[in-house]
Coordinates of all heavy atoms in Angstrom, one line a residue:
M1 N 5.9 11.5 1.5 CA 5.2 11.8 0.3 C 6.1 11.4 -0.9 O 7.2 11.7 -0.9 CB 4.9 13.3 0.2 CG 3.9 13.8 1.2 SD 3.5 15.5 1.1 CE 4.8 16.2 2.1
A2 N 5.4 10.8 -1.9 CA 6.2 10.4 -3.0 C 5.3 10.4 -4.2 O 4.0 10.4 -4.1 CB 6.7 9.0 -2.8
H3 N 5.9 10.3 -5.4 CA 5.2 10.2 -6.7 C 5.6 8.8 -7.3 O 6.7 8.4 -7.1 CB 5.6 11.3 -7.7 CG 5.0 12.6 -7.4 ND1 3.8 13.0 -8.0 CD2 5.4 13.6 -6.6 CE1 3.5 14.2 -7.5 NE2 4.5 14.6 -6.7
L4 N 4.7 8.2 -8.0 CA 5.0 7.0 -8.8 C 4.2 7.2 -10.1 O 3.0 7.3 -10.1 CB 4.6 5.8 -8.0 CG 4.7 4.5 -8.8 CD1 6.2 4.2 -9.0 CD2 4.1 3.3 -8.0
V5 N 4.9 7.1 -11.2 CA 4.3 7.2 -12.5 C 3.9 5.8 -12.9 O 4.8 5.0 -13.1 CB 5.2 7.9 -13.5 CG1 4.5 7.9 -14.9 CG2 5.5 9.3 -13.1
C6 N 2.6 5.6 -13.1 CA 2.1 4.3 -13.5 C 2.6 4.0 -14.9 O 2.9 4.9 -15.7 CB 0.6 4.3 -13.4 SG -0.2 2.7 -13.9
R7 N 2.6 2.7 -15.3 CA 2.9 2.4 -16.7 C 1.9 2.9 -17.7 O 2.3 3.1 -18.9 CB 3.0 0.8 -16.8 CG 4.2 0.3 -16.1 CD 4.3 -1.2 -16.3 NE 5.5 -1.7 -15.6 CZ 5.9 -2.9 -15.5 NH1 5.2 -3.9 -16.0 NH2 7.0 -3.3 -14.8
C8 N 0.7 3.3 -17.2 CA -0.2 3.9 -18.2 C 0.0 5.4 -18.3 O -0.6 6.1 -19.1 CB -1.7 3.7 -17.7 SG -2.1 4.7 -16.2
G9 N 0.9 6.0 -17.5 CA 1.3 7.4 -17.6 C 0.7 8.2 -16.5 O 1.1 9.4 -16.3
Y10 N -0.2 7.7 -15.7 CA -0.8 8.5 -14.6 C 0.2 8.7 -13.5 O 0.8 7.8 -13.0 CB -2.1 7.7 -14.1 CG -2.9 8.5 -13.1 CD1 -3.8 9.4 -13.5 CD2 -2.6 8.4 -11.7 CE1 -4.6 10.2 -12.6 CE2 -3.3 9.2 -10.8 CZ -4.3 10.0 -11.2 OH -5.0 10.8 -10.3
D11 N 0.3 10.0 -13.0 CA 1.2 10.3 -12.0 C 0.5 10.2 -10.6 O -0.3 11.0 -10.3 CB 1.7 11.7 -12.2 CG 2.8 12.1 -11.2 OD1 3.2 11.3 -10.3 OD2 3.2 13.3 -11.2
M12 N 0.8 9.1 -9.9 CA 0.2 8.9 -8.6 C 1.0 9.6 -7.5 O 2.2 9.7 -7.6 CB 0.2 7.4 -8.2 CG -0.7 6.6 -9.2 SD -0.8 4.9 -8.8 CE 0.8 4.3 -9.3
W13 N 0.3 10.2 -6.5 CA 0.9 10.9 -5.4 C 0.2 10.6 -4.1 O -1.0 10.6 -4.1 CB 0.9 12.4 -5.7 CG 1.5 13.3 -4.7 CD1 2.8 13.3 -4.3 CD2 0.8 14.4 -4.0 NE1 3.0 14.3 -3.4 CE2 1.8 15.0 -3.2 CE3 -0.5 14.9 -4.0 CZ2 1.5 16.1 -2.4 CZ3 -0.7 15.9 -3.2 CH2 0.2 16.5 -2.4
N14 N 1.0 10.3 -3.1 CA 0.4 10.0 -1.8 C 0.5 11.1 -0.8 O 0.4 10.9 0.4 CB 1.1 8.7 -1.2 CG 2.5 8.9 -0.7 OD1 3.1 9.9 -1.1 ND2 3.0 8.0 0.0
G15 N 0.7 12.3 -1.3 CA 0.9 13.5 -0.5 C -0.4 14.0 0.3 O -0.2 14.6 1.3
E16 N -1.5 13.6 -0.2 CA -2.8 14.0 0.5 C -3.1 12.9 1.5 O -2.9 11.7 1.3 CB -3.9 14.1 -0.5 CG -3.8 15.3 -1.4 CD -5.1 15.5 -2.3 OE1 -6.2 15.0 -1.8 OE2 -4.9 16.0 -3.4
S17 N -3.6 13.4 2.7 CA -3.9 12.4 3.7 C -5.3 12.7 4.3 O -5.5 13.8 4.8 CB -2.9 12.4 4.9 OG -3.2 11.5 5.8
P18 N -6.2 11.8 4.1 CA -6.1 10.5 3.5 C -6.1 10.6 2.0 O -6.5 11.7 1.4 CB -7.4 9.8 4.0 CG -8.4 10.9 4.2 CD -7.6 12.1 4.7
N19 N -5.8 9.5 1.3 CA -5.8 9.5 -0.2 C -6.4 8.1 -0.6 O -6.5 7.2 0.2 CB -4.4 9.7 -0.7 CG -3.4 8.7 -0.4 OD1 -3.6 7.5 -0.9 ND2 -2.5 9.0 0.5
D20 N -6.7 8.0 -1.9 CA -7.2 6.8 -2.5 C -6.2 6.1 -3.3 O -6.5 5.1 -4.0 CB -8.4 7.1 -3.3 CG -9.6 7.6 -2.5 OD1 -9.8 7.0 -1.4 OD2 -10.4 8.4 -3.0
I21 N -4.9 6.4 -3.1 CA -3.8 5.8 -3.9 C -3.2 4.7 -3.1 O -2.9 3.6 -3.6 CB -2.8 6.9 -4.2 CG1 -3.3 8.0 -5.1 CG2 -1.5 6.2 -4.9 CD1 -3.7 7.6 -6.5
E22 N -3.0 5.0 -1.8 CA -2.1 4.1 -1.0 C -3.0 3.2 -0.1 O -3.9 3.7 0.6 CB -1.2 5.0 -0.2 CG -0.1 4.2 0.5 CD 0.9 5.2 1.1 OE1 0.6 6.4 1.3 OE2 2.1 4.8 1.2
F23 N -2.6 1.9 0.0 CA -3.3 0.9 0.8 C -2.3 0.2 1.7 O -1.2 0.0 1.3 CB -4.1 -0.1 0.0 CG -5.2 0.5 -0.9 CD1 -4.9 1.1 -2.1 CD2 -6.5 0.4 -0.5 CE1 -5.9 1.7 -2.8 CE2 -7.5 0.9 -1.2 CZ -7.2 1.6 -2.4
W24 N -2.7 -0.1 2.9 CA -1.9 -0.9 3.8 C -2.5 -2.2 4.0 O -3.6 -2.4 4.3 CB -1.9 -0.1 5.2 CG -1.4 1.3 5.0 CD1 -2.2 2.4 4.9 CD2 0.0 1.7 4.9 NE1 -1.4 3.5 4.7 CE2 -0.1 3.1 4.8 CE3 1.2 1.1 5.0 CZ2 1.1 3.9 4.6 CZ3 2.3 1.8 4.9 CH2 2.3 3.2 4.7
V25 N -1.6 -3.3 3.7 CA -2.1 -4.7 3.7 C -1.5 -5.4 4.9 O -0.3 -5.4 5.1 CB -1.7 -5.3 2.4 CG1 -2.2 -6.8 2.4 CG2 -2.3 -4.6 1.2
Y26 N -2.4 -6.1 5.6 CA -2.0 -6.9 6.8 C -2.4 -8.4 6.5 O -3.5 -8.6 6.1 CB -2.6 -6.4 8.0 CG -2.4 -5.0 8.3 CD1 -3.1 -3.9 7.7 CD2 -1.3 -4.6 9.2 CE1 -2.8 -2.6 8.0 CE2 -1.1 -3.3 9.4 CZ -1.8 -2.3 8.8 OH -1.5 -1.0 9.1
S27 N -1.5 -9.3 6.8 CA -1.9 -10.7 6.7 C -2.8 -11.1 7.9 O -2.9 -10.3 8.9 CB -0.6 -11.6 6.7 OG -0.1 -11.6 8.0
D28 N -3.5 -12.2 7.8 CA -4.3 -12.6 8.8 C -3.5 -12.9 10.1 O -3.9 -12.5 11.2 CB -5.0 -13.9 8.4 CG -6.1 -14.4 9.4 OD1 -7.0 -13.6 9.7 OD2 -5.9 -15.5 9.9
K29 N -2.3 -13.4 9.9 CA -1.4 -13.6 11.1 C -1.1 -12.3 11.8 O -1.1 -12.2 13.0 CB -0.1 -14.4 10.6 CG 0.8 -14.7 11.7 CD 2.1 -15.4 11.2 CE 3.1 -15.6 12.2 NZ 4.3 -16.2 11.7
T30 N -0.7 -11.3 11.0 CA -0.4 -10.0 11.5 C -1.6 -9.4 12.3 O -1.4 -8.9 13.3 CB 0.1 -9.1 10.4 OG1 1.3 -9.6 9.8 CG2 0.4 -7.7 11.0
M31 N -2.8 -9.6 11.7 CA -4.0 -9.0 12.3 C -4.2 -9.7 13.7 O -4.6 -9.1 14.6 CB -5.2 -9.2 11.4 CG -5.2 -8.2 10.2 SD -5.1 -6.5 10.7 CE -6.6 -6.2 11.5
D32 N -3.9 -11.0 13.7 CA -4.1 -11.7 15.0 C -3.1 -11.2 16.0 O -3.5 -10.9 17.2 CB -3.8 -13.2 14.8 CG -5.1 -14.0 14.4 OD1 -6.1 -13.3 14.2 OD2 -5.0 -15.2 14.2
E33 N -1.9 -10.9 15.6 CA -0.9 -10.4 16.5 C -1.3 -9.0 17.0 O -1.1 -8.7 18.2 CB 0.5 -10.4 15.8 CG 1.1 -11.7 15.6 CD 2.3 -11.7 14.7 OE1 2.7 -10.6 14.3 OE2 2.8 -12.8 14.4
I34 N -1.7 -8.2 16.1 CA -2.2 -6.8 16.4 C -3.3 -6.9 17.4 O -3.4 -6.1 18.4 CB -2.5 -6.0 15.2 CG1 -1.3 -5.7 14.3 CG2 -3.2 -4.7 15.5 CD1 -1.5 -5.1 13.0
S35 N -4.3 -7.8 17.2 CA -5.5 -7.8 18.0 C -5.1 -8.3 19.4 O -5.9 -8.0 20.4 CB -6.5 -8.8 17.4 OG -6.1 -10.1 17.5
M36 N -3.9 -8.9 19.6 CA -3.5 -9.3 21.0 C -2.9 -8.2 21.8 O -2.8 -8.2 23.0 CB -2.5 -10.4 20.9 CG -2.9 -11.7 20.2 SD -4.2 -12.4 21.2 CE -4.4 -14.0 20.4
E37 N -2.5 -7.1 21.0 CA -1.9 -5.9 21.7 C -3.0 -5.0 22.3 O -4.1 -4.9 21.6 CB -1.0 -5.2 20.8 CG 0.2 -5.9 20.3 CD 1.1 -5.1 19.4 OE1 1.1 -3.9 19.5 OE2 1.7 -5.7 18.5
D38 N -2.8 -4.5 23.4 CA -3.7 -3.6 24.0 C -3.5 -2.2 23.6 O -2.3 -1.7 23.6 CB -3.6 -3.6 25.6 CG -4.2 -5.0 26.1 OD1 -5.0 -5.5 25.5 OD2 -3.7 -5.4 27.2
N39 N -4.5 -1.5 23.2 CA -4.5 0.0 23.0 C -3.3 0.4 22.1 O -2.5 1.2 22.4 CB -4.3 0.7 24.3 CG -4.8 2.1 24.3 OD1 -5.4 2.5 23.3 ND2 -4.4 2.9 25.3
I40 N -3.3 -0.2 20.9 CA -2.2 0.1 20.0 C -2.4 1.5 19.3 O -3.5 1.8 18.8 CB -2.1 -1.0 18.9 CG1 -0.9 -0.7 18.0 CG2 -3.3 -1.2 18.1 CD1 -0.5 -1.9 17.1
P41 N -1.4 2.4 19.3 CA -1.6 3.7 18.7 C -1.7 3.6 17.2 O -1.1 2.7 16.6 CB -0.3 4.5 19.1 CG 0.3 3.6 20.1 CD -0.2 2.2 20.0
F42 N -2.5 4.5 16.6 CA -2.7 4.5 15.2 C -1.4 4.5 14.4 O -1.2 3.7 13.4 CB -3.6 5.7 14.7 CG -3.8 5.8 13.3 CD1 -4.7 4.9 12.6 CD2 -3.1 6.7 12.5 CE1 -4.9 4.9 11.3 CE2 -3.4 6.8 11.1 CZ -4.2 5.9 10.5
L43 N -0.4 5.3 14.7 CA 0.8 5.3 14.0 C 1.6 4.0 14.1 O 2.3 3.6 13.2 CB 1.7 6.5 14.4 CG 1.1 7.9 14.0 CD1 2.0 9.0 14.6 CD2 1.0 8.0 12.5
S44 N 1.5 3.3 15.2 CA 2.2 2.0 15.3 C 1.5 1.0 14.4 O 2.2 0.1 13.9 CB 2.1 1.5 16.8 OG 2.8 2.4 17.6
L45 N 0.2 1.2 14.2 CA -0.5 0.2 13.3 C 0.1 0.3 11.9 O 0.2 -0.7 11.3 CB -2.0 0.6 13.4 CG -2.9 -0.3 12.6 CD1 -2.9 -1.7 13.2 CD2 -4.3 0.2 12.7
H46 N 0.4 1.5 11.4 CA 0.9 1.7 10.1 C 2.3 0.9 10.0 O 2.5 0.3 9.0 CB 1.2 3.1 9.8 CG 0.1 3.8 9.0 ND1 0.3 5.0 8.4 CD2 -1.1 3.3 8.6 CE1 -0.8 5.3 7.7 NE2 -1.6 4.3 7.8
S47 N 3.1 0.9 11.0 CA 4.4 0.3 10.9 C 4.3 -1.2 10.9 O 5.3 -1.9 10.7 CB 5.3 0.8 12.1 OG 4.8 0.3 13.3
K48 N 3.2 -1.8 11.2 CA 3.1 -3.2 11.3 C 2.5 -3.9 10.0 O 2.3 -5.1 10.0 CB 2.2 -3.6 12.5 CG 2.7 -3.2 13.8 CD 1.8 -3.6 14.9 CE 2.4 -3.2 16.3 NZ 3.7 -3.7 16.6
H49 N 2.4 -3.1 9.0 CA 1.8 -3.6 7.7 C 2.8 -4.6 7.1 O 4.0 -4.6 7.3 CB 1.5 -2.5 6.7 CG 2.8 -1.9 6.2 ND1 3.4 -0.8 6.8 CD2 3.5 -2.1 5.1 CE1 4.5 -0.5 6.1 NE2 4.5 -1.2 5.0
D50 N 2.2 -5.6 6.3 CA 3.0 -6.6 5.6 C 3.4 -6.1 4.2 O 4.4 -6.4 3.7 CB 2.3 -7.9 5.5 CG 2.1 -8.5 6.9 OD1 3.1 -8.7 7.6 OD2 0.9 -8.8 7.2
H51 N 2.5 -5.3 3.6 CA 2.8 -4.7 2.3 C 2.1 -3.4 2.2 O 1.1 -3.1 2.8 CB 2.2 -5.6 1.2 CG 2.9 -6.9 1.1 ND1 4.1 -7.1 0.5 CD2 2.5 -8.1 1.5 CE1 4.5 -8.4 0.6 NE2 3.5 -9.0 1.2
N52 N 2.7 -2.5 1.4 CA 2.1 -1.2 1.0 C 1.8 -1.3 -0.5 O 2.6 -1.8 -1.3 CB 3.2 -0.2 1.3 CG 2.8 1.2 0.9 OD1 3.5 1.9 0.1 ND2 1.6 1.7 1.4
V53 N 0.5 -1.0 -0.8 CA 0.1 -1.1 -2.2 C -0.4 0.2 -2.7 O -1.2 0.9 -2.0 CB -1.1 -2.2 -2.2 CG1 -1.6 -2.3 -3.7 CG2 -0.6 -3.5 -1.8
W54 N 0.0 0.5 -3.9 CA -0.5 1.7 -4.6 C -1.4 1.3 -5.7 O -1.0 0.4 -6.5 CB 0.6 2.6 -5.1 CG 1.4 3.3 -4.1 CD1 1.8 2.9 -2.9 CD2 1.9 4.6 -4.2 NE1 2.5 3.9 -2.2 CE2 2.6 4.9 -3.0 CE3 1.9 5.6 -5.2 CZ2 3.2 6.2 -2.8 CZ3 2.5 6.8 -5.0 CH2 3.1 7.1 -3.8
R55 N -2.6 1.9 -5.8 CA -3.5 1.5 -6.9 C -3.7 2.7 -7.8 O -4.1 3.8 -7.4 CB -4.9 1.1 -6.3 CG -5.9 0.6 -7.4 CD -7.2 0.1 -6.8 NE -7.8 1.2 -6.0 CZ -8.6 2.1 -6.5 NH1 -8.9 2.1 -7.8 NH2 -9.2 3.0 -5.7
C56 N -3.5 2.5 -9.1 CA -3.7 3.5 -10.1 C -5.1 3.7 -10.3 O -5.9 2.8 -10.7 CB -3.0 3.2 -11.4 SG -3.3 4.4 -12.7
P57 N -5.7 5.0 -10.1 CA -7.1 5.2 -10.3 C -7.5 5.2 -11.8 O -8.7 5.1 -12.1 CB -7.3 6.6 -9.7 CG -6.0 7.2 -9.7 CD -5.0 6.1 -9.6
K58 N -6.5 5.3 -12.7 CA -6.8 5.4 -14.1 C -7.0 4.0 -14.7 O -7.9 3.7 -15.4 CB -5.7 6.2 -14.8 CG -6.0 6.3 -16.3 CD -4.9 7.2 -17.0 CE -5.1 7.3 -18.5 NZ -4.0 8.0 -19.1
C59 N -6.0 3.1 -14.4 CA -6.0 1.8 -15.1 C -6.2 0.6 -14.1 O -6.4 -0.5 -14.5 CB -4.7 1.6 -15.9 SG -3.3 1.3 -14.9
G60 N -6.1 0.9 -12.8 CA -6.3 -0.2 -11.8 C -5.1 -1.0 -11.5 O -5.2 -2.0 -10.7
R61 N -4.0 -0.7 -12.1 CA -2.8 -1.5 -11.7 C -2.5 -1.4 -10.3 O -2.7 -0.3 -9.6 CB -1.6 -1.0 -12.5 CG -1.4 -1.6 -13.9 CD 0.0 -1.2 -14.4 NE 0.2 -1.8 -15.8 CZ -0.3 -1.2 -16.9 NH1 -0.8 0.0 -16.8 NH2 -0.1 -1.7 -18.1
L62 N -1.9 -2.5 -9.7 CA -1.5 -2.5 -8.3 C 0.0 -2.6 -8.2 O 0.6 -3.5 -8.9 CB -2.1 -3.7 -7.6 CG -3.7 -3.7 -7.5 CD1 -4.1 -5.0 -6.8 CD2 -4.2 -2.5 -6.7
Y63 N 0.6 -1.8 -7.5 CA 2.1 -1.8 -7.2 C 2.3 -2.2 -5.8 O 1.9 -1.5 -4.9 CB 2.7 -0.4 -7.5 CG 2.6 0.0 -8.9 CD1 1.4 0.5 -9.5 CD2 3.7 -0.2 -9.8 CE1 1.3 0.9 -10.8 CE2 3.6 0.2 -11.1 CZ 2.4 0.7 -11.6 OH 2.3 1.0 -13.0
V64 N 2.9 -3.4 -5.6 CA 3.0 -3.9 -4.2 C 4.5 -3.8 -3.8 O 5.4 -4.2 -4.4 CB 2.6 -5.4 -4.2 CG1 2.8 -6.0 -2.8 CG2 1.2 -5.6 -4.7
F65 N 4.6 -3.1 -2.6 CA 5.9 -2.9 -2.0 C 6.1 -3.8 -0.8 O 5.1 -4.1 -0.1 CB 6.1 -1.4 -1.6 CG 6.0 -0.4 -2.8 CD1 4.8 0.1 -3.2 CD2 7.2 0.0 -3.4 CE1 4.7 0.9 -4.3 CE2 7.1 0.8 -4.5 CZ 5.9 1.3 -4.9
S66 N 7.3 -4.2 -0.5 CA 7.6 -5.1 0.6 C 7.4 -4.3 1.9 O 7.3 -3.1 2.0 CB 9.0 -5.6 0.5 OG 9.9 -4.6 0.9
E67 N 7.3 -5.1 3.0 CA 7.2 -4.6 4.3 C 8.4 -3.7 4.7 O 8.3 -2.9 5.6 CB 7.0 -5.7 5.3 CG 8.2 -6.6 5.4 CD 7.9 -7.8 6.3 OE1 7.9 -7.7 7.5 OE2 7.7 -8.9 5.7
N68 N 9.5 -3.9 4.0 CA 10.7 -3.2 4.3 C 10.8 -1.8 3.6 O 11.7 -1.1 3.7 CB 12.0 -4.0 4.0 CG 12.0 -5.3 4.7 OD1 11.6 -5.3 5.9 ND2 12.5 -6.3 4.1
G69 N 9.7 -1.5 2.9 CA 9.7 -0.2 2.2 C 10.5 -0.3 0.9 O 10.5 -1.3 0.2
G70 N 11.1 0.8 0.5 CA 11.8 0.9 -0.7 C 11.0 1.6 -1.8 O 9.8 1.8 -1.6
T71 N 11.6 1.9 -2.8 CA 11.0 2.7 -3.9 C 10.7 1.8 -5.1 O 10.0 2.3 -6.0 CB 11.9 3.9 -4.3 OG1 13.1 3.4 -4.8 CG2 12.1 4.8 -3.2
V72 N 11.1 0.6 -5.1 CA 10.9 -0.3 -6.3 C 9.9 -1.4 -5.8 O 10.1 -2.1 -4.9 CB 12.2 -1.0 -6.7 CG1 11.9 -1.9 -7.9 CG2 13.2 0.1 -7.1
P73 N 8.7 -1.5 -6.6 CA 7.7 -2.5 -6.2 C 8.2 -3.9 -6.3 O 9.0 -4.2 -7.3 CB 6.5 -2.2 -7.1 CG 7.0 -1.3 -8.1 CD 8.3 -0.7 -7.7
E74 N 7.8 -4.8 -5.4 CA 8.1 -6.2 -5.5 C 7.4 -6.8 -6.7 O 7.9 -7.7 -7.4 CB 7.7 -6.9 -4.3 CG 8.6 -6.8 -3.1 CD 8.1 -7.8 -2.0 OE1 6.9 -7.7 -1.6 OE2 8.9 -8.5 -1.4
H75 N 6.1 -6.4 -6.8 CA 5.2 -7.0 -7.8 C 4.3 -5.9 -8.4 O 4.0 -4.9 -7.7 CB 4.3 -8.0 -7.2 CG 5.0 -9.1 -6.5 ND1 5.7 -10.1 -7.2 CD2 5.2 -9.4 -5.2 CE1 6.3 -10.9 -6.3 NE2 6.0 -10.5 -5.1
I76 N 4.0 -6.0 -9.7 CA 3.0 -5.1 -10.3 C 1.9 -6.0 -11.0 O 2.2 -6.9 -11.7 CB 3.7 -4.3 -11.4 CG1 4.8 -3.5 -10.8 CG2 2.7 -3.4 -12.1 CD1 5.7 -2.8 -11.8
Y77 N 0.7 -5.7 -10.6 CA -0.5 -6.5 -11.1 C -1.3 -5.6 -12.0 O -1.7 -4.5 -11.7 CB -1.3 -7.0 -10.0 CG -0.6 -7.9 -9.1 CD1 0.0 -7.5 -7.9 CD2 -0.6 -9.3 -9.3 CE1 0.7 -8.3 -7.1 CE2 0.0 -10.2 -8.5 CZ 0.7 -9.7 -7.4 OH 1.4 -10.6 -6.5
R78 N -1.6 -6.1 -13.2 CA -2.5 -5.4 -14.1 C -3.9 -6.0 -14.1 O -4.0 -7.3 -14.1 CB -1.9 -5.4 -15.6 CG -2.7 -4.6 -16.5 CD -2.1 -4.5 -17.9 NE -2.1 -5.9 -18.5 CZ -1.4 -6.2 -19.5 NH1 -0.6 -5.4 -20.1 NH2 -1.4 -7.5 -20.0
L79 N -4.9 -5.2 -14.1 CA -6.3 -5.7 -14.0 C -6.6 -6.4 -15.3 O -6.4 -6.0 -16.4 CB -7.2 -4.4 -13.9 CG -8.6 -4.7 -13.6 CD1 -8.8 -5.3 -12.2 CD2 -9.4 -3.3 -13.6
E80 N -7.2 -7.6 -15.1 CA -7.7 -8.4 -16.3 C -9.1 -8.1 -16.7 O -9.4 -8.1 -17.9 CB -7.5 -9.9 -16.0 CG -6.1 -10.4 -16.0 CD -6.0 -11.9 -15.9 OE1 -7.0 -12.6 -16.1 OE2 -4.9 -12.4 -15.5
E81 N -9.9 -7.9 -15.7 CA -11.3 -7.6 -16.0 C -11.8 -6.4 -15.2 O -11.4 -6.2 -14.1 CB -12.2 -8.8 -15.7 CG -11.9 -10.0 -16.6 CD -12.8 -11.2 -16.3 OE1 -13.9 -11.0 -15.8 OE2 -12.3 -12.3 -16.5
Ligands
ZN101 ZN1 -2.3 3.3 -14.4

């Protein structure tokens, strides 16, 4: 569980499960690899993500974290439209 204060000031928190803050992103290649595995447990599926993304519900900014985790986002995207 963690907090991340968005640049707009909104305090995001991933402590509720499920939540609408945190997204797990898989590349097409990773999805192919996962689909080849038999009977993959749900928790193992989480560990195979390529990126972890937090979306601010107030302004729509996306905070993209690397597959290696960490507390500093690799990229921050602001909604244009
Ligand atoms: Zn925001």
